[in-house]
Amino acid sequence: MSGFARGLCLAIVLGLTGFLFYALATGRVLADQLHVWSVVWGLYVWADAYAGFLLFSLLIYAYERKLGLTIVLFIITCCTGNMVNAAWLLLRGPDLFRRIRSVSTRVES
């Protein structure tokens, strides 16, 4: 995994964590969520985000092979957003990228 990719993951983790604390300090969680669910685009964005959370959880499960860990990370992701996925990718990304690269080079040769 390149230094750029690791830096991007770290920036996402830090940025989303900071934004989460800002939103919790200034927003109204339930009222704001009810507003999001009251408009069509809000429903679409919600469905799209949670579909992404589920798909990324499948990737985590394929790598970790631990259903309990995958479920815990999925639940935390549903509550806090993609910062959990970015943190997991920051930790596991180098090995995951190395594995993908080795498979792709074997297929090409």
Side-chain angles (χ1 to χ4, degrees):
M1 186 166 158
S2 70
F4 174 76
R6 291 183 63 85
L8 183 61
C9 287
L10 184 59
I12 289 170
V13 169
L14 295 175
L16 286 176
T17 301
F19 194 52
L20 175 66
F21 285 119
Y22 171 75
L24 288 171
T26 61
R28 300 163 299 149
V29 175
L30 186 57
D32 291 344
Q33 191 60 48
L34 290 174
H35 172 70
V36 167
W37 289 341
S38 71
V39 295
V40 172
W41 276 107
L43 289 172
Y44 172 78
V45 169
W46 183 86
D48 182 60
Y50 280 79
F53 298 162
L54 184 59
L55 291 171
F56 203 88
S57 292
L58 290 173
L59 177 66
I60 291 172
Y61 180 71
Y63 182 88
E64 300 287 352
R65 292 290 183 196
K66 297 176 183 168
L67 184 58
L69 174 64
T70 303
I71 291 170
V72 167
L73 291 177
F74 175 73
I75 291 169
I76 295 170
T77 298
C78 288
C79 297
T80 62
N82 278 308
M83 70 182 82
V84 173
N85 293 338
W88 181 86
L89 196 58
L90 187 60
L91 296 173
R92 301 295 197 209
D95 183 56
L96 183 63
F97 279 49
R98 198 170 20 263
R99 288 182 184 193
I100 291 169
R101 194 174 302 121
S102 71
V103 169
S104 67
T105 56
R106 283 192 303 234
V107 171
E108 291 173 3
S109 51

